[in-house]
Amino acid sequence: MNVDRVRRLLEAAAQAGILLAVSALPVAWRSLDAGLTVVLLGMFAVLTAATYALHAVTFDLLRLTSEQGKGRFSYTQSKE
């Protein structure tokens, strides 16, 4: 695993953790037991994987399209 993939995975895990901490954990805190912990860990894994996949596809697509389109598009229309 290269540094970029590790960074993406850590970012996705942090985002999934924040989402669960804000939305599910306050509601489930009083009835937290082993079964609910397993469900929350499963949700954390699914959210992390989905966020990682979305970031990977988006960033790879932007990187590929920016390399292919270099020099063909200018944000300014000046003729310098």
Side-chain angles (χ1 to χ4, degrees):
M1 237 184 192
N2 62 13
V3 176
D4 189 40
R5 289 183 181 176
V6 172
R7 185 188 56 79
R8 285 185 202 165
L9 184 60
L10 289 175
E11 184 179 342
Q15 290 174 351
I18 290 170
L19 180 66
L20 283 177
V22 169
S23 62
L25 200 55
V27 175
W29 187 253
R30 291 186 179 153
S31 62
L32 197 60
D33 61 350
L36 190 56
T37 303
V38 170
V39 170
L40 288 174
L41 287 175
M43 288 174 55
F44 176 74
V46 168
L47 286 171
T48 300
T51 306
Y52 176 80
L54 180 65
H55 285 186
V57 167
T58 303
F59 294 143
D60 288 344
L61 179 67
L62 289 174
R63 183 177 37 197
L64 290 174
T65 55
S66 69
E67 287 178 7
Q68 289 176 358
K70 274 189 178 172
R72 286 193 271 161
F73 181 75
S74 174
Y75 289 108
T76 61
Q77 295 183 5
S78 63
K79 299 187 186 223
E80 297 176 348

